[in-house]
Amino acid sequence: MPPTIAPHPTPAPSKNASWQQRSRRHVWHPCTQSIRLEAVPPLPIARGEGVWLHDHDGRRYLDATSSWWVNLFGHAHPAINAALKDQLDTLSHVMLAGCTHAPAVELAERLAALTGHALGHCFYASDGASAVEIALKMSFHAWRNAGLAGKRNFVALRNGYHGETLGALHVTDVPVFRDAYAPLLANAHFVASPDARGARQGESAAAVARHAAAELEALLAESHASIAAVIVEPLVQCATGMAMHDPEYLRLVRALCDRYGVHLIADEIAVGCGRTGTFFACEQAGIWPDFLCLSKGISGGYLPLALVMTRDAIHDGFVDDDVARSFLHSHSYTGNALACRAAIATLDLFEQEDALRRNRARAERLLCRLREGLRGMPVDHLRQRGMITAFDVRQPGARFAERFHLGARANGLLMRPIGATVYLMPPYAIGDGEIDLLVDATLDTLRALDVPGRAEQGGRDVALA
């Protein structure tokens, strides 16, 4: 009688696969080509803890991009969790028109104090694009209230990104987001980006900044009477591929706006809340804008929240008996109590954990490990500003971002390159061992893609820290 052969055990069905199928059937995923969802199925996340995200099949992934740049102190942070649980038992939401509540008041007070009260008033919104639209509307309306209704145009940087609603797209210059809707958009002026990668041999990042500012100066000298505001992403233009610039550019733009009577809007949605090494990126230039937009990290990555900070003098220009001179923008969840409480708990963590100081050591370790590991590889422009580190792959090939994303997932990382730019923007909770793991897995992913070419002797770094 032949020996009995035990059957192979039937593998357990993948819980991930079920969620992927259901998501493809009913969820319209953002910033995604739906036709690619079969080849690149969405990663189903069951829970998060610290810098880690866990799927339904028991695998974990280091959140190397802070879940689209929103998470600061890690997932499921006990202090933020406790604050939200307490707030749930007190007040979840009340309309901010005709009412107020402690979290909205306290958050506005604390943020104003962080600017030395240069920006004394906060207007709450729900997301970054909404904050940008509010700032644009406020700027135009402030000039109209001042008897200068002809100041209705805006200036933005080439390759800049400020959101994808129609008003925000008006000042966005990333073709993949803008071109399809161009017939719906008002015209804006676009001027040179101070991207330090544009430096000629021997030229400094500050020199690039001065050249870019000269182009802005020429425009303002000719057209300032019709221009309401200049909008910039201070220090890092993120969505165009982490294009970094010298703080000198911000100093020059502030001086030009003062000289020609134009508002300065700082879009710190992605770069604020410590990402560039200071709580506000503008601090590194020693300037304050007329409007400052915050979102993403302000709630610690917990709840949708955005806000526009502005000078008291601008706010006071709307205080009038004439309703047409009032700023009547609103949305139902303006100043949501839960979101504001999460933001207050996030500000507490900056103080309790001395986060900005500790991040300097984290950033230094990350940059040193990457610089060593990338030696001899076909990449250019290794650069860093605070907790944002990036490099460009010289000959990425077709669908590089997609291929790298899938390779990183196989190596236990959640990463999403922008074109040929690989960037690392981990939560501030990352430890030394996790930094080493992040760098090693990033390098392994790049090697596995076998991109062609070798680095030039000495490489081509952008000297930004």
Side-chain angles (χ1 to χ4, degrees):
M1 187 173 187
T4 302
I5 300 175
H8 292 292
T10 302
S14 167
K15 295 180 181 178
N16 279 353
S18 173
W19 284 110
Q20 288 166 337
Q21 182 181 19
R22 291 167 64 181
S23 189
R24 288 197 299 268
R25 185 176 298 135
H26 292 293
V27 177
W28 198 331
H29 289 265
C31 203
T32 299
Q33 285 183 277
S34 297
I35 198 170
R36 300 298 299 168
L37 285 175
E38 198 71 40
V40 192
L43 181 62
I45 299 301
R47 64 184 180 89
E49 181 179 4
V51 300
W52 296 99
L53 295 166
H54 300 256
D55 69 14
H56 292 269
D57 290 338
R59 291 201 64 192
R60 68 175 189 170
Y61 307 84
L62 198 153
D63 188 358
T65 59
S66 295
S67 292
W68 241 349
W69 320 343
V70 300
N71 191 284
L72 296 188
F73 292 99
H75 297 275
H77 194 287
I80 303 178
N81 288 358
L84 284 173
K85 290 172 183 176
D86 177 72
Q87 189 63 42
L88 277 170
D89 290 333
T90 307
L91 175 69
S92 60
H93 181 68
V94 65
M95 65 179 181
L96 211 58
C99 299
T100 194
H101 54 78
V105 174
E106 292 172 8
L107 177 57
E109 290 174 339
R110 290 182 63 172
L111 288 171
L114 287 174
T115 71
H117 299 282
L119 305 175
H121 275 79
C122 285
F123 192 100
Y124 290 107
S126 58
D127 60 89
S130 297
V132 166
E133 297 208 9
I134 288 166
L136 297 175
K137 288 175 64 177
M138 280 182 173
S139 175
F140 164 73
H141 201 161
W143 290 122
R144 191 184 75 164
N145 283 353
L148 297 169
K151 294 175 76 66
R152 56 182 298 174
N153 297 324
F154 297 93
V155 182
L157 301 187
R158 294 192 191 105
N159 304 317
Y161 174 91
H162 300 285
E164 295 161 44
T165 54
L166 288 178
L169 272 179
H170 167 51
V171 290
T172 288
D173 186 43
V174 179
V176 71
F177 298 121
R178 180 185 172 92
D179 285 359
Y181 309 102
L184 303 179
L185 305 177
N187 290 324
H189 300 284
F190 291 100
V191 295
S193 165
D195 182 353
R197 291 175 297 181
R200 297 184 292 269
Q201 185 68 33
E203 188 177 31
S204 68
V208 177
R210 288 190 287 272
H211 293 317
E215 184 175 319
L216 173 62
E217 181 175 14
L219 173 65
L220 293 180
E222 179 181 354
S223 305
H224 63 90
S226 65
I227 293 173
V230 176
I231 183 168
V232 300
E233 301 162 84
L235 301 184
V236 188
Q237 294 177 269
C238 292
T240 194
M242 301 301 164
M244 300 183 184
H245 60 258
D246 192 273
E248 176 70 2
Y249 185 74
L250 301 177
R251 288 189 284 269
L252 293 170
V253 173
R254 175 71 275 178
L256 289 170
C257 287
D258 290 341
R259 184 189 312 167
Y260 289 104
V262 170
H263 290 145
L264 174 56
I265 301 171
D267 175 353
E268 295 215 12
I269 290 160
V271 300
C273 302
R275 288 291 185 197
T276 65
T278 48
F279 189 85
F280 298 107
C282 284
E283 293 178 67
Q284 295 180 47
I287 62 104
W288 293 111
D290 301 294
F291 303 92
L292 191 150
C293 304
L294 281 182
S295 189
K296 290 192 182 290
I298 189 60
S299 73
Y302 271 69
L303 289 164
L305 179 66
L307 55 94
V308 179
M309 304 182 70
T310 191
R311 298 177 183 272
D312 291 343
I314 290 176
H315 167 269
D316 293 348
F318 290 87
V319 179
D320 198 282
D321 285 333
D322 183 355
V323 68
R325 293 174 62 87
S326 298
F327 191 69
L328 301 180
H329 186 101
S330 64
H331 77 94
S332 302
Y333 281 92
T334 298
N336 174 258
L338 286 168
C340 289
R341 184 67 183 276
I344 291 169
T346 299
L347 294 184
D348 289 341
L349 288 173
F350 272 98
E351 298 176 4
Q352 294 165 6
E353 299 190 3
D354 196 10
L356 296 177
R357 182 188 63 80
R358 293 177 64 186
N359 280 353
R360 287 194 288 272
R362 296 179 177 115
E364 182 179 359
R365 184 183 187 93
L366 182 55
L367 182 62
C368 289
R369 285 291 327 278
L370 263 181
R371 179 173 283 129
E372 176 186 352
L374 290 172
R375 189 174 294 119
M377 298 186 74
V379 302
D380 291 319
H381 302 308
L382 176 61
R383 57 199 180 273
Q384 183 180 81
R385 178 68 70 178
M387 287 294 285
I388 305 172
T389 309
F391 59 87
D392 302 325
V393 176
R394 191 174 303 152
Q395 298 181 55
R399 297 193 181 278
F400 170 77
E402 179 182 291
R403 291 184 290 116
F404 192 97
H405 170 71
L406 289 174
R409 271 164 51 167
N411 286 322
L413 302 180
L414 182 58
M415 299 182 73
R416 189 180 168 98
I418 302 170
T421 298
V422 177
Y423 72 92
L424 299 83
M425 196 190 297
Y428 305 162
I430 194 166
D432 287 352
E434 291 160 334
I435 288 173
D436 292 343
L437 187 153
L438 169 58
V439 171
D440 290 342
T442 299
L443 296 172
D444 287 345
T445 301
L446 186 60
R447 292 188 193 100
L449 294 183
D450 197 25
V451 293
R454 300 287 291 175
E456 296 178 358
Q457 184 66 32
R460 290 188 287 180
D461 285 5
V462 174
L464 295 167

